[in-house]
Amino acid sequence: MGISVGGIVSGIDTDDMITKLVAAARMPQNVMKTQLSDTESLKTAYETLSAKMDDLTTAIEAIDTADEMRSTTSTSSDDSFVGITATGAAVAGRYTVEVTALASEATSISDAVADSTTLGTVAEGTFSVTYAGTTTTLTLDSTNSSLEGLCDEINDNVAGVTAYIMDTGDATTPYRLVITGDDTGAANTLTLDTSGLTGVGSVPTFTEMSAPQDAALTVNGIAITSADNDVDGVVTGMTFNLNDITTEPIVIKVADDTATTVANVKAFVDAYNTVRSYVNAHRAWDSDAGIKGEFVGEATIISMMQGFQTVLSAEYKTGASYTGLSSIGISTQQDGTLELDEDVLTAALEDAPDEVTNLFETDAGGLGDKFKAILDLYNNEDKSSVSVVAGKNVVTLGGILTDRMAAIDDQISDMNDSIDAFDLRMDAYEARLKKTFTAMEIALGKLQDAQSQLTALLPSTDSDSSS
């Protein structure tokens, strides 16, 4: 850096002069830093908006199917016998259920032995397991010819079957091998063939403890069988959970839950209003007050909100009476936010629930489809990319907001590089100024020294010497 003499000869405060010159030269960088700060604020605004749009996506997806849009409540007169799970597709009504048999799985157990781990205690050879019509043949040899070895072979190789060693606590022969099917239902039979175990050792004998069977029940007097104790598909939107054989009819009641549906629609309205209000706040501009929101002039934001508004105000061919948001009590306010009249929506749901459902349902050609398309177009988390396929460039489009944020990231990176480069130029400029002023001070010092020497050589002009 060199030595600065700081105006010691000239009397000029060169350090202060250098500081001011460098500060003046840095003025363009100050503008750059302000632009960087504004760009970073814009990035933060986009990131926050994207998160709010994620919440909006969650809200619309909570009402975009018939099951979700049409909520129901369901009760059982005694769920220790029969429980009930109902979706929005269930038809409201009263159902009686009687259970005469529960579905069960096949289980077999071996005779008891004194030792479960010693090799050679089970005869070597082949052991076959046939489960649900599929046969698997296992081989026992000197490495696994024990009850535990057979158990491991079954668990490792036979799909749909579980085996385990049971310790009964008997004083002499406590160990038994239990083999059970994983699935209930009469079709899931279990057959064990020990005829291939011909080597030295004992051949286990198996006893069937329970045979596989289907559940048997009646729903409103109609006989039904099921391989599972959770019986679905018998009545649309309903699953009967069979827990015990009944001694009297169990009454299942299903009712429409309009209040929950209204709450879910309100959650969508609130989520949209959160996005809209955030955009409004960050598009505010008042030159007199010095207010300029981050989204002022952002064409991406303008086009996205126009797209939302178009979808929200449109009419759809999804019903006869309820074809748009205004018909179900949702109106657009002056600031672009939505307002929900819950009484109007409740009346629409009670009058024509299918039409209201179709308005929001995916693949029904209504608002739900169009609204989610805009969300995906703008807030898809993937960035656009270009790949080469068969020698041709193929463009894969990502989310518009995602691409905009990526572009902003690139701007921020470039700005930081420019600011860093400017710092280097200012450091060099400051070093040159110090070198220049130091040289000046040294030159002035030499001149003063020469002047002193010349003065000493001149004859004296003292008035006393002439008298």
Side-chain angles (χ1 to χ4, degrees):
M1 202 53 150
I3 300 173
S4 173
V5 294
I8 193 171
V9 177
S10 67
I12 301 172
D13 189 352
T14 55
D15 287 342
D16 181 62
M17 185 180 295
I18 289 170
T19 298
K20 290 178 178 178
L21 287 170
V22 171
R26 279 190 182 276
M27 290 182 67
Q29 188 191 50
N30 294 336
V31 174
M32 293 166 61
K33 288 182 176 180
T34 299
Q35 292 173 338
L36 173 62
S37 178
D38 290 344
T39 305
E40 288 175 334
S41 295
L42 178 61
K43 176 188 175 184
T44 300
Y46 266 109
E47 289 173 339
T48 303
L49 175 61
S50 180
K52 293 181 185 300
M53 289 181 66
D54 285 339
D55 294 338
L56 179 55
T57 299
T58 299
I60 189 65
E61 287 181 345
I63 55 175
D64 67 348
T65 67
D67 285 1
E68 294 167 330
M69 186 66 181
R70 295 183 61 181
S71 300
T72 59
T73 59
S74 55
T75 59
S76 168
S77 59
D78 192 338
D79 55 16
S80 66
F81 287 94
V82 181
I84 179 65
T85 304
T87 69
V91 178
R94 183 178 184 274
Y95 305 84
T96 59
V97 180
E98 294 184 79
V99 181
T100 56
L102 293 176
S104 60
E105 65 280 350
T107 300
S108 292
I109 189 169
S110 73
D111 52 349
V113 296
D115 186 342
S116 65
T117 59
T118 301
L119 297 175
T121 54
V122 174
E124 297 180 12
T126 58
F127 180 87
S128 296
V129 180
T130 302
Y131 180 67
T134 300
T135 299
T136 304
T137 300
L138 309 173
T139 299
L140 295 184
D141 54 28
S142 60
T143 65
N144 59 2
S145 56
S146 65
L147 204 63
E148 189 172 275
L150 177 56
C151 178
D152 291 341
E153 284 294 314
I154 293 171
N155 287 329
D156 291 343
N157 298 288
V158 183
V161 171
T162 298
Y164 57 92
I165 304 293
M166 176 181 289
D167 184 346
T168 65
D170 185 85
T172 55
T173 55
Y175 301 110
R176 309 184 79 174
L177 177 60
V178 181
I179 305 175
T180 183
D182 294 340
D183 302 305
T184 58
N188 296 308
T189 56
L190 177 66
T191 303
L192 307 174
D193 182 3
T194 61
S195 62
L197 297 175
T198 58
V200 176
S202 63
V203 177
T205 301
F206 287 90
T207 302
E208 184 178 65
M209 299 300 294
S210 65
Q213 70 175 15
D214 291 336
L217 65 154
T218 62
V219 177
N220 289 349
I222 300 173
I224 297 163
T225 59
S226 169
D228 197 283
N229 287 317
D230 293 326
V231 184
D232 58 11
V234 172
V235 180
T236 301
M238 298 173 63
T239 299
F240 300 105
N241 311 116
L242 311 185
N243 300 315
D244 204 349
I245 294 173
T246 58
T247 56
E248 61 182 11
I250 302 301
V251 178
I252 304 295
K253 293 181 180 179
V254 177
D256 289 327
D257 184 8
T258 304
T260 296
T261 300
V262 170
N264 290 339
V265 174
K266 184 178 185 301
F268 161 69
V269 170
D270 290 344
Y272 177 77
N273 285 345
T274 297
V275 169
R276 183 76 204 202
S277 297
Y278 185 80
V279 169
N280 289 349
H282 290 267
R283 287 187 66 198
W285 185 22
D286 186 334
S287 57
D288 294 335
I291 298 173
K292 183 181 179 183
E294 290 87 350
F295 291 150
V296 171
E298 282 291 303
T300 297
I301 300 299
I302 296 171
S303 64
M304 181 182 74
M305 299 314 297
Q306 287 176 341
F308 278 136
Q309 192 57 47
T310 298
V311 169
L312 293 171
S313 60
E315 295 288 317
Y316 299 94
K317 298 178 180 179
T318 53
S321 302
Y322 303 99
T323 57
L325 289 186
S326 60
S327 64
I328 62 171
I330 300 175
S331 57
T332 301
Q333 305 305 293
Q334 189 171 1
D335 64 355
T337 59
L338 302 177
E339 184 175 70
L340 170 64
D341 187 324
E342 295 187 16
D343 291 337
V344 174
L345 176 57
T346 298
L349 287 167
E350 292 174 349
D351 178 46
D354 287 341
E355 289 191 20
V356 180
T357 297
N358 289 341
L359 190 58
F360 290 95
E361 188 175 1
T362 299
D363 300 327
L367 177 146
D369 283 328
K370 303 293 190 297
F371 198 89
K372 288 173 65 178
I374 293 177
L375 285 169
D376 186 63
L377 175 65
Y378 282 89
N379 207 39
N380 185 325
E381 65 181 10
D382 295 328
K383 292 194 296 184
S384 296
S385 61
V386 179
S387 57
V388 178
V389 178
K392 295 182 179 180
N393 289 336
V394 177
V395 178
T396 301
L397 295 178
I400 295 175
L401 293 187
T402 304
D403 287 344
R404 183 71 181 104
M405 286 187 283
I408 293 172
D409 278 334
D410 290 341
Q411 283 181 275
I412 290 172
S413 179
D414 290 344
M415 287 178 174
N416 279 318
D417 289 344
S418 296
I419 289 171
D420 291 342
F422 206 103
D423 281 333
L424 293 175
R425 291 199 300 273
M426 289 301 97
D427 289 344
Y429 177 56
E430 183 177 4
R432 289 197 306 273
L433 288 175
K434 288 182 177 181
K435 183 177 180 181
T436 299
F437 280 110
T438 298
M440 180 191 75
E441 295 292 336
I442 292 172
L444 286 174
K446 289 180 178 179
L447 286 173
Q448 288 182 1
D449 184 56
Q451 182 182 20
S452 297
Q453 292 179 17
L454 286 173
T455 301
L457 293 174
L458 293 174
S460 173
T461 59
D462 194 325
S463 59
D464 292 339
S465 64
S466 62
S467 58

